[in-house]
Amino acid sequence: MTPPRTPQIPVVVLAGFLGSGKTTLLNHLLRNRAGTRIGVIVNDFGAIEIDAMTVSGQVGSTVSLGNGCLCCAVDASELDTFLETLTRPSARLDVIVIEASGLAEPQELVRMLLASDNPHILYGGLVEVVDAAEFGRTRQRHPEIDRHLAVADLVVLNKTDRVGEAERERLRAAVAELSGPAAVISAVHGRIDPELLFDPALRPDHEDKVRQLTFEDLLREEAPDGHEGHDDHLHASYERVDFTSDIPMDPRRFMEFLDSRPDGLYRIKGFADFGAGDRDNTYALHAVGRFLRFVPRPWARGEQRLTQLVMIGAGIDAAALSAGLAACRAGEPGRADATDVERAMWGVLRYVQEQAPEPEAFDAHETADPREAAAEA
């Protein structure tokens, strides 16, 4: 198998009903991007695109899609046209965020992304923003929110400062019940840690010798009155677990671990060494919610053969996750039967996708996860 020739850019779908705080959250990400280059596709319902005007002054690559709801008015091939613009090497983007209309069906946007034939993109997850203060009334007006939560990978329970502690815990439990294994993060003013959605850029944002002053430069100097700095509060609502092993992973045990990963574990990223299962390649792993993909890459000459993983989630047991991964390590070299190892690798290879699956393949796979099956309802 030949790995993709170019890096894939994660595409995150940001959804939620009108007034939930999607644009506020997006603006927060743009202000705290730490050098990460974000491309934004803003989908507004209506002729006056207020959200587009809000963000267009802060980023250089904003594509606003009019003519109604994106998932209804734009098919997969047309979406590819916009994504192709943002994935050109000259744009040098690290992540793309689609801010969906408040009336959009998010599962349709996910289908469109997974059906895309653009080799430069990677599904980055569905983030559903919920207004804590209006949740009950929103469910009455829009009962389909239950279906939206069922297919989310991350739920941001926003505006929690507008409800009391007891009500906040009740809402959190209700949302968690509807969203199943998705991680649920509480937020005020849409302020979540950007690392939940994308990795910090490896290169400095000021790599150009001369550039125009940006909004981020100005906003970094001062925080809103009454708010603490970025590092003082944004990391409190989730946990991060790092795992490194110089012993190869047993492919069968590792896939059993991934298939049974706990509720609230939102992201897994890193590289896995399967030893005798494939001595030629290391496997980049990308998991968001229940979505999983491996991308093989040949080992570089002299490269240390390690499994290095990072797990991010809310309400997860860090010690149990570390112990679970440690139990996935292979036995002594030479002890495993070669045929058995080769068979075990099929569990990994079924998640190796060098390009997005066809719609039929996605539909067939949906029934493996109750949240994905709910998208068909």
Side-chain angles (χ1 to χ4, degrees):
M1 266 169 286
T2 303
R5 296 180 179 179
T6 57
Q8 292 178 302
I9 301 174
V11 180
V12 178
V13 177
L14 183 60
F17 284 93
L18 297 171
S20 61
K22 298 187 305 297
T23 301
T24 301
L25 191 154
L26 175 58
N27 287 331
H28 166 74
L29 295 176
L30 297 173
R31 292 167 177 169
N32 296 275
R33 56 194 177 88
T36 300
R37 300 185 189 278
I38 304 175
V40 180
I41 296 178
V42 178
N43 167 224
D44 290 297
F45 192 88
I48 302 176
E49 301 180 344
I50 298 175
D51 289 355
M53 291 188 290
T54 302
V55 300
S56 62
Q58 297 186 26
V59 289
S61 298
T62 300
V63 179
S64 179
L65 305 181
N67 301 321
C69 176
L70 175 62
C71 65
C72 298
V74 182
D75 63 26
S77 63
E78 291 173 321
L79 179 62
D80 275 340
T81 300
F82 292 98
L83 291 174
E84 186 63 33
T85 299
L86 294 179
T87 55
R88 291 172 181 168
S90 58
R92 297 182 299 167
L93 295 179
D94 301 300
V95 64
I96 296 171
V97 178
I98 299 177
E99 185 193 358
S101 161
L103 301 179
E105 286 290 338
Q107 63 266 39
E108 295 303 324
L109 289 171
V110 173
R111 289 175 185 271
M112 292 162 69
L113 290 174
L114 293 179
S116 171
D117 59 1
N118 187 327
H120 308 299
I121 66 169
L122 184 68
Y123 175 57
L126 169 60
V127 180
E128 182 77 16
V129 184
V130 174
D131 184 340
E134 295 289 328
F135 181 62
R137 286 181 285 273
T138 300
R139 289 188 77 189
Q140 290 178 354
R141 292 192 303 268
H142 303 286
E144 61 270 26
I145 191 175
D146 291 9
R147 184 175 68 250
H148 295 185
L149 288 169
V151 297
D153 298 298
L154 175 69
V155 178
V156 178
L157 186 61
N158 196 27
K159 305 183 183 182
T160 53
D161 57 322
R162 299 186 182 182
V163 297
E165 183 176 354
E167 176 67 3
R168 183 165 56 247
E169 291 305 315
R170 187 193 70 79
L171 286 170
R172 185 181 178 87
V175 169
E177 183 177 358
L178 292 169
S179 60
V184 179
I185 302 293
S186 298
V188 175
H189 303 302
R191 301 174 74 193
I192 67 172
D193 195 309
E195 191 174 354
L196 278 166
L197 306 184
F198 51 81
D199 300 329
L202 296 178
R203 46 158 173 66
D205 190 44
H206 54 274
E207 59 186 3
D208 300 324
K209 293 183 179 179
V210 178
R211 66 182 176 93
Q212 191 174 18
L213 192 66
T214 68
F215 272 82
E216 184 184 8
D217 297 320
L218 301 176
L219 292 165
R220 189 184 294 117
E221 298 295 329
E222 53 183 279
D225 293 340
H227 292 289
E228 300 174 345
H230 170 78
D231 292 329
D232 294 331
H233 63 96
L234 294 178
H235 300 275
S237 58
Y238 74 94
E239 295 83 31
R240 171 186 172 123
V241 180
D242 297 293
F243 176 82
T244 301
S245 174
D246 57 0
I247 301 174
M249 307 299 281
D250 178 274
R252 178 175 286 109
R253 290 201 291 267
F254 188 53
M255 289 309 302
E256 289 174 351
F257 172 86
L258 293 176
D259 288 340
S260 61
R261 54 193 187 272
D263 294 357
L265 182 55
Y266 171 59
R267 292 183 72 198
I268 306 177
K269 56 186 179 179
F271 297 89
D273 172 21
F274 291 111
D278 187 347
R279 298 191 184 280
D280 297 326
N281 294 296
T282 178
Y283 283 73
L285 183 159
H286 169 79
V288 56
R290 293 288 143 179
F291 177 81
L292 173 65
R293 176 175 294 178
F294 287 102
V295 179
R297 172 183 64 79
W299 290 104
R301 180 174 297 179
E303 180 179 359
Q304 186 177 8
R305 303 200 170 200
L306 296 173
T307 292
Q308 296 176 298
L309 300 171
V310 175
M311 294 168 286
I312 298 174
I316 56 177
D317 187 332
L321 286 174
S322 296
L325 282 172
C328 294
R329 292 179 293 190
E332 297 180 21
R335 293 287 297 274
D337 179 80
T339 302
D340 184 62
V341 172
E342 182 177 345
R343 289 174 179 169
M345 278 298 293
W346 280 108
V348 175
L349 297 177
R350 65 193 174 105
Y351 289 102
V352 171
Q353 298 171 344
E354 296 181 17
Q355 60 183 9
E358 294 299 319
E360 293 80 9
F362 176 53
D363 292 341
H365 177 66
E366 281 187 324
T367 56
D369 179 22
R371 291 182 307 134
E372 294 178 347
E376 292 185 329

